[in-house]
Structure formats: C-alpha cells, structure tokens
Amino acid sequence: MRYNERELLSLARQPAEKAAEILMRVPKKGSVLKKRLVKLVVNFLFYFRTDEAEPIGALLLEHCRITKEEENVFSISFIEEPERKYCFECDSEEQCLEWIEALKRASYEFMRRSLIFYRNEIQKMTGKDPLEQYGISEEARFQLGTHKQ
Amino acid sequence: MKLNERSLAFYATCDSPADNAGFLYKRGERHTAYHRRWFVLKGNMLFYFEERESREPVGVIVLEGCTVELCDSAEEFTFAIRFGGAKSRTYVLAAESQAAMESWVKSLSRASFDYMRLVVRELERQLEEMRWGSAGGCGGCQGSWKPKPSGLERSSEQLPALPTILHKENGCAVWNNTPGAERPPDTFSCSGYHGEGSPQPPPLPPRRRASGSEVGSTGVAAAESTSTFCRLHERYGREVARLRQDWLERQRDPQL
C-alpha cells in the first residue's frame, strides 16, 4: 500500500503526547525484547532505535486492543489479528498503566465516540446541539449512526 | 519505515463510519493524467482504491498537517492537498461536481486528529462547566460563538496545530491543518462581553504554563485555547461562504 512516507516521518518528529524508552518485542517469530524509543503522536505509535533519528516503524492505533499483560507489561494487538501482539515492558507498573491509558485514548475512533457522547449529554442538559454554533453539526464524522460507504 | 499495513487495510475496508466516500480523479505524480479512484476518508486517513469493490486500498494519504486548497485550474472542481516541507508532494484531486468538491474540501480540512481533539476538549469543558453549575459565561455576547476562557493557562510552546485560516492567495483559499502553523493572536474580545455586569473571569494572561490539573489529560504536549476554537469556526464559516459566493459569481459571469 502506498503512503506518504515523508509526511509520516515528519509527524514522527513532532512533539509527542508521550515518549519513553521501553523494551519492545514485535510479533515475529524469534523476536526478542529490545530497547526502543517509543513515541505517541496523534494516533500513531512510532518506535525508534534509541540512537536513530528516523523511526523503524509506526503503528496506526485504530481498531486496536491494549491489554495489560504481566507486571510492567502491556501489549497492542489489532482486532483482525488478535494473536499478533506487540509487547512492551516498562520500568514500572505505574509507567505501564499510564501508557495503557494514553494508548486507549489515542485513536480517532475513541475521540469520535467521546465527542458523540459529550454532544448528546450537552444536548440532553441544554436542549441545544453544542456543535450547531460552530456550523459543524451536519458533519458525517459527528453523527451517531454509521455512515456506510 | 514499517507500517502496520494489514491493519490499515482492515481499517479502510471495515464497516466503521467513513467521514466521506466517493469517486475522485487523482492526478498522477509525474504525468498529468488523472485517474479515477474510489476514495474513503476515515479519521485522518484518506484511502484510495482502484475500484469501489476493491478489497484493498491502492494507497493512503495521512492527512495530519495538511492544507486543503481550491485550485484555479483548467480542470473543473479541482482541489489540492498540500503539505509543508520542501520536497513534499501535492495531491491534486478533482471531483465530479461542485457539491462533491465542496463536501470533500470541507471534510478534508477538518480531518486532522488535532482538530477532532480540539472539538472534544471544547465539549468536555462545556460539560464540566455545566455540571459544576458555572453561573458565569457570556449570556450577553453577540456573534456566533461564546468565548469562555477556560481558566487553564497553557504553555505556548506546547500548543499543537490549530487550524488557522490563511489569507486568500492567488484565487485559492487555504485551510491549514499544519502543526506549528502561525498561532492566532493572544487577545480577543467579544462585543458585549466586557459590558456585562456579572463577575467575569480575568482575561487570560499571555500563555502561562498549565497548573497541572487538566480534565482527562494524559500527556503534556497537547493543549489549546477555546477562544481560538471559537474564532476558528467563525472564520471557517465566513471563508466557505465567501468562496461559494465567488464561485457563484464566476459562474454567472465568465468574464470575471
């Protein structure tokens, strides 16, 4: 699949929501835990070799599952392949839980659901659609129902 | 750089809501021929397929940080997705109708994650205020927006991309989703706001650091001012209205 790599690399250089050196293992046979610089920017998780400026890879965090594994460890898997897990071992349980929280909220789909929820709540309380004053109440992305292709 | 392509393909084709979908003509990179492709916009990812029924996208354009512009070109209904950076490619697309073009330009210019985050935080804040029974606010304010200084000061260095409207240049209007783009000015005023009798929160001091208590926040970096959000939407609306007007006028009088 073609993609605009240049822009993605540029995104990897942006200020991160969260960044840390964490031990990471990719779901490949024989793969071991390796120290990586892991950086969360919008809905992408970039991972770098600790001494390199360009990321080895990027994970788009949509339709993924973040699971707490054993102590200090969490994993990311994608719903179409739940057994393929990217594993991360943190320095502490606290760091582990922080990352889980951050990653769960890092998807566009999560934000869309939050927005719809807040919109509904506000509408219930005030009788008014809070998006109307911004002229975006008809935007497909903010609607409750699914917008089939 | 590796990308989780299988997951991307799944995201593109699964039945999660698409923010826009339809046929567009995409101009090739080296040759100026246009190819008709089926486009699907989900979140900040613009996927394109060879055919509507194709099982996998041919490619994807990550939209974070892009600018969407109308084009004054011989080809009808064209618009461009542009990125900053010297060697960045510009994607020129053409819709099949005026309505389709407008719809795409609108949805693409609001496709960034940062924009969505802005909207979510604004609603979150409104809900917070309502739940805590905030009696303040701007009841007497005119205009299409309600400025509510959130009371949380933010560090200017950590303000993420705020889509801003740039000036119209060469017949193109520009919507800017670029991180680090020019920031809106600090001050704003609302006619009637300061005229109110009820106690007002003091005007925001110029961008001090957040005190640390931020609703639902996990990180440090992302923060934005709700006043700019209001202004932003006002400007979006005006810009789109003006462009429509221009186009309609040009349609009526081709000599313009």
Side-chain angles (χ1 to χ4, degrees), chain B residues 18-32:
Chain B
D19 300 314
N20 209 336
F23 284 106
L24 290 171
Y25 292 87
K26 179 169 166 289
R27 197 167 77 185
E29 200 163 356
R30 260 159 260 148
H31 313 290
T32 49

Side-chain angles (χ1 to χ4, degrees), chain B residues 125 129 148-154 204 224-226:
Chain B
R125 197 190 52 75
E129 265 184 30
K148 284 180 183 255
S150 61
L152 288 174
E153 290 85 46
R154 326 262 185 186
L204 284 174
E224 53 278 310
S225 151
T226 52

